[in-house]
Amino acid sequence: MLKHILTSAVFAGVAVGVLAAAVQLWLMTPLLLEGELFETGARVHFAADGSPQSEAGPPSLMDEPVRHLTTAGFGIVTFTAFGFLMAAGFALATRAGHVVTPRAGLIWGLCGFIAVQLAPAVGLSPELPGTVAPEVEMRQAWWLGTVIATTVALALIAFGRGTLSWIIATALILAPHIVGAPHLDTYYGVAPPELSAHFAARSLGTSALSWCLLGLIAATVWSHQEEAS
Amino acid sequence: MKNDVKVIAKAQPQSRIDSDLIGIATAALLGLFLLFAAGFAQATVLHDTAHDQRHAMAFPCH
């Protein structure tokens, strides 16, 4: 069992990590670097001279190759970690008599995206560097609580039986948002809102793609191993 | 119905079931450990090298 989990997790995690790194370098890193220009004050939106506009466009990607390589490395680690958790879920589902097909894997991936990216983003939007926010520990606690509550809720919807499962699942999905994510009572944004919005949308879009691929690849490897054993 | 048959057919002795559960728990713990290192740990070196990835994945970063 452990061998099946490790093989699915590592294969899918590394494959998706590499793909996600490429997509992030293409779509996310230019926005990150542009955000840093506003974070450091190298560029100023609504400058003191009263002009309401600021120059748009990212700096070159070629300036810091080591930085982008370590980002790619951490992408692989992150998706391998998600792969371990997902494959552990496959193993539990298989033990309970469910067959994990590649098509089902795609839905597992979508659920991972909903639980780990979309639900927390409803309270804490993806942040450009330089965004001023409450204490990181408070945000991490809310983020983690939301991810756990949403994961349990989706598992209840997928595998639970009876109306009670659905009622508990609905309560678990709503609870973190009723409690509310930690927010400041003032705005501090220094980056143009267009840039922040673009960053948040692309963060969700690229992670949706990565999670779907993770589910699909991990389940494909998993079902091959199950058939072979 | 088909699934039920499969469950019965796959029924294993107690020791095998326990080793499966240990395997599942090991994999989950390994995943959580890697996730903590990549996404959560605030140690400066980890934070700085994982910075861009954390922002891109919308983990609460700093």
Side-chain angles (χ1 to χ4, degrees):
Chain A
M1 185 65 84
L2 182 60
K3 188 168 156 270
H4 285 197
I5 298 175
L6 293 181
T7 310
S8 294
V10 172
F11 192 89
V14 172
V16 174
V18 170
L19 278 169
V23 174
Q24 279 181 13
L25 191 65
W26 169 38
L27 292 174
M28 300 301 299
T29 307
L31 300 181
L32 256 158
L33 296 178
E34 197 172 353
E36 281 182 351
L37 293 178
F38 292 96
E39 180 184 18
T40 58
R43 240 180 237 173
V44 182
H45 194 51
F46 277 85
D49 66 6
S51 65
Q53 73 268 45
S54 55
E55 189 189 338
S60 167
L61 282 177
M62 302 301 170
D63 295 343
E64 298 171 283
V66 176
R67 171 178 175 174
H68 303 320
L69 269 177
T70 56
T71 301
F74 271 98
I76 293 169
V77 174
T78 305
F79 279 101
T80 306
F82 288 143
F84 276 119
L85 294 169
M86 191 183 281
F90 289 170
L92 284 175
T94 304
R95 272 173 60 89
H98 301 278
V99 181
V100 180
T101 61
R103 274 170 188 268
L106 202 54
I107 296 173
W108 279 77
L110 264 177
C111 288
F113 164 72
I114 291 168
V116 180
Q117 316 289 154
L118 190 61
V122 171
L124 297 171
S125 348
E127 290 175 345
L128 261 185
T131 304
V132 177
E135 289 296 316
V136 68
E137 289 82 5
M138 284 168 59
R139 285 180 291 134
Q140 284 180 334
W142 186 87
W143 185 92
L144 199 59
T146 306
V147 170
I148 293 170
T150 313
T151 304
V152 173
L154 292 175
L156 280 172
I157 291 170
F159 303 113
R161 291 202 179 94
T163 317
L164 188 62
S165 298
W166 286 81
I167 293 170
I168 297 171
T170 307
L172 282 172
I173 287 173
L174 293 178
H177 306 287
I178 293 169
V179 171
H183 281 286
L184 298 172
D185 49 12
T186 40
Y187 293 122
Y188 285 92
V190 291
E194 297 95 319
L195 186 60
S196 292
H198 208 172
F199 183 84
R202 280 193 180 177
S203 170
L204 289 174
T206 54
S207 53
L209 172 69
S210 306
W211 271 101
C212 287
L213 285 174
L214 184 75
L216 181 65
I217 297 173
T220 303
V221 178
W222 179 268
S223 60
H224 274 293
Q225 293 181 107
E226 288 292 300
E227 280 167 23
S229 66
Chain B
M1 190 63 193
K2 198 177 169 188
N3 286 351
D4 293 342
V5 173
K6 191 163 184 179
V7 172
I8 295 163
K10 278 203 161 182
Q12 301 286 341
Q14 189 67 36
S15 61
R16 167 67 193 277
I17 291 170
D18 288 348
S19 79
D20 279 357
L21 279 180
I22 290 168
I24 293 168
T26 308
L29 283 175
L30 199 55
L32 289 174
F33 171 75
L34 288 176
L35 196 58
F36 176 79
F40 274 77
Q42 289 295 313
T44 310
V45 176
L46 270 179
H47 172 271
D48 290 353
T49 46
H51 174 270
D52 293 3
Q53 164 67 13
R54 289 181 183 187
H55 274 280
M57 290 297 291
F59 294 144
C61 189
H62 46 67

